[in-house]
């Protein structure tokens, strides 16, 4: 009877094969928390991104309106410069034709 109990527990005493040997060495050096509370998010949580998605349109609009004056002004200056330089080049080509 004792021999059969030990025979059944032999796989339980075998080393684990689901953990790599280098990870076993890694986790041996782990220091216990000594009462420190750590809050983590479950990997099975389904509502991870929803709060961000709910507030994203408002934040994007605020960022766009806050910086549109600078980006729009710079874009207007660049486009205006390109249009004026093309017009000046066309006028110079027109005046120097044969």
């Amino acid at each position: 009877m004792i021999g059969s109990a030990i025979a059944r527990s032999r796989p339980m005493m075998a080393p684990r094969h689901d953990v790599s040997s280098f990870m076993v060495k890694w986790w041996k050096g782990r220091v216990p928390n000594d009462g420190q509370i750590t809050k983590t998010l479950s990997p099975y949580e389904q509502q991870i991104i929803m709060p961000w998605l709910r507030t994203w349109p408002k934040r994007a609009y605020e960022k766009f309106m806050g910086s549109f004056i600078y980006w729009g002004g710079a874009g207007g200056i660049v486009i205006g410069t390109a249009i004026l330089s093309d017009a000046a080049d066309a006028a110079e080509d027109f005046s120097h034709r044969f």
Side-chain angles (χ1 to χ4, degrees), residues 2-94:
I2 293 177
S4 65
I6 292 174
R8 288 185 200 144
S9 64
R10 196 169 291 148
M12 300 288 266
M13 294 187 302
R16 294 178 59 174
H17 295 290
D18 61 336
V19 179
S20 300
S21 60
F22 64 90
M23 291 305 291
V24 170
K25 195 173 196 179
W26 172 274
W27 286 108
K28 277 185 184 177
R30 185 182 73 84
V31 179
N33 292 3
D34 292 331
Q36 179 182 1
I37 297 173
T38 305
K39 296 182 180 181
T40 59
L41 183 61
S42 169
Y44 302 105
E45 177 69 39
Q46 297 297 315
Q47 299 292 326
I48 296 172
I49 300 179
M50 286 307 293
W52 180 79
L53 285 177
R54 286 187 194 119
T55 60
W56 182 78
K58 180 182 177 190
R59 290 186 337 194
Y61 177 75
E62 288 175 357
K63 283 187 173 189
F64 177 75
M65 294 309 286
S67 64
F68 177 73
I69 294 171
Y70 303 112
W71 288 104
I77 290 171
V78 168
I79 291 172
T81 303
I83 291 171
L84 289 175
S85 63
D86 285 344
D89 185 48
E92 184 179 3
D93 290 345
F94 183 75

